[in-house]
Amino acid sequence: MALSETDRVLLDKCLARKPRAWEDFVDRFLGLIIHVTNHSAQARSIRLTAEDREDLCADVFLAIIKDDFAVLRHFRAQSSLATYLTVVARRVVVRELLSRKSASRLTAAGSPEAIDNGEPERRFQDREEIARLLEELEAPDAEVVRLYHLEGMTYREISDRTGMPENSVGPVLSRARQRLRQAGAEPSPS
């Protein structure tokens, strides 16, 4: 889908810093950013508090305005603005979730900080369970699942890392999920 006229006008107004342009932009895309945030967290079995969600959405909008709207200036209108912002938001949210998860791993599992960090206590066990399940998959498939679900990489990033064609990543993920379902081992989504 190409860039709509409405989005083109809104984008132009934002980049020209017209009055109310940023507020209109946020009003138009806030629902999308919230959806991407929720979906990205859910895909990684991470429960978000309302404050976490607000912080992650704010991180996305800060990334958009950073360096004088550099993210919007790099938009080449080869897709809809919503599609482009979905990719941007997902990358920001996944990066933040992974950095928070890494920071929480540095804290001892039994310490009060680990319990109060906003994640359920079971989070560490879930990661171990996923690692155990990955052992049941063949090496190339397990690597793709690990890169996608645990490291938050995009299909393109997985393709670059593994040498697998980008359009093969989705089918590998689907087959791996099917194998885990058949084994009765796939973790249920939260």
Side-chain angles (χ1 to χ4, degrees), residues 1-5 7-8 11-12 15 71-85:
M1 174 184 258
L3 178 64
S4 72
E5 182 64 20
D7 287 346
R8 186 192 61 72
L11 183 62
D12 290 344
L15 293 175
V71 167
L72 296 180
R73 292 185 192 289
H74 285 98
F75 177 58
R76 297 291 169 240
Q78 295 174 343
S79 65
S80 70
L81 185 55
T83 299
Y84 178 74
L85 292 173

Side-chain angles (χ1 to χ4, degrees), residues 129-173:
E129 179 71 6
I130 291 169
R132 186 189 63 74
L133 296 173
L134 287 175
E135 291 174 4
E136 297 178 15
L137 297 173
E138 296 174 21
D141 292 356
E143 178 69 1
V144 169
V145 171
R146 185 185 67 75
L147 293 172
Y148 183 77
H149 287 289
L150 298 179
E151 293 191 22
M153 289 188 171
T154 64
Y155 285 15
R156 175 171 284 150
E157 291 166 337
I158 293 169
S159 174
D160 292 345
R161 171 80 64 89
T162 64
M164 174 183 292
E166 187 176 344
N167 61 353
S168 297
V169 173
V172 167
L173 289 170

Side-chain angles (χ1 to χ4, degrees):
M1 174 184 258
L3 178 64
S4 72
E5 182 64 20
T6 302
D7 287 346
R8 186 192 61 72
V9 169
L10 182 58
L11 183 62
D12 290 344
K13 285 181 178 180
C14 256
L15 293 175
R17 296 181 176 262
K18 299 283 185 187
R20 290 227 19 101
W22 178 246
E23 290 83 357
D24 292 343
F25 183 91
V26 171
D27 288 346
R28 179 155 173 84
F29 293 108
L30 179 60
L32 173 71
I33 303 304
I34 291 170
H35 173 76
V36 170
T37 300
N38 288 336
H39 181 75
S40 298
Q42 183 181 16
R44 283 152 191 81
S45 300
I46 298 173
R47 291 190 184 133
L48 297 177
T49 64
E51 294 81 18
D52 291 334
R53 186 174 300 103
E54 288 174 14
D55 287 347
L56 290 167
C57 289
D59 289 337
V60 171
F61 285 115
L62 286 172
I64 292 170
I65 64 172
K66 183 179 178 185
D67 296 328
D68 193 33
F69 296 97
V71 167
L72 296 180
R73 292 185 192 289
H74 285 98
F75 177 58
R76 297 291 169 240
Q78 295 174 343
S79 65
S80 70
L81 185 55
T83 299
Y84 178 74
L85 292 173
T86 298
V87 173
V88 169
R90 181 182 175 279
R91 288 181 179 165
V92 170
V93 169
V94 168
R95 182 178 58 236
E96 285 298 316
L97 290 173
L98 291 175
S99 70
R100 291 175 185 189
K101 190 184 302 184
S102 294
S104 70
R105 268 188 263 148
L106 296 175
T107 306
S111 71
E113 295 88 350
I115 295 168
D116 294 337
N117 70 0
E119 288 188 5
E121 211 170 343
R122 175 143 167 72
R123 187 73 203 124
F124 298 104
Q125 296 167 354
D126 288 345
R127 189 165 178 88
E128 289 171 9
E129 179 71 6
I130 291 169
R132 186 189 63 74
L133 296 173
L134 287 175
E135 291 174 4
E136 297 178 15
L137 297 173
E138 296 174 21
D141 292 356
E143 178 69 1
V144 169
V145 171
R146 185 185 67 75
L147 293 172
Y148 183 77
H149 287 289
L150 298 179
E151 293 191 22
M153 289 188 171
T154 64
Y155 285 15
R156 175 171 284 150
E157 291 166 337
I158 293 169
S159 174
D160 292 345
R161 171 80 64 89
T162 64
M164 174 183 292
E166 187 176 344
N167 61 353
S168 297
V169 173
V172 167
L173 289 170
S174 294
R175 283 192 305 272
R177 287 185 200 114
Q178 182 61 34
R179 275 189 231 124
L180 290 173
R181 264 195 296 276
Q182 288 171 349
E186 183 176 45
S188 60
S190 304

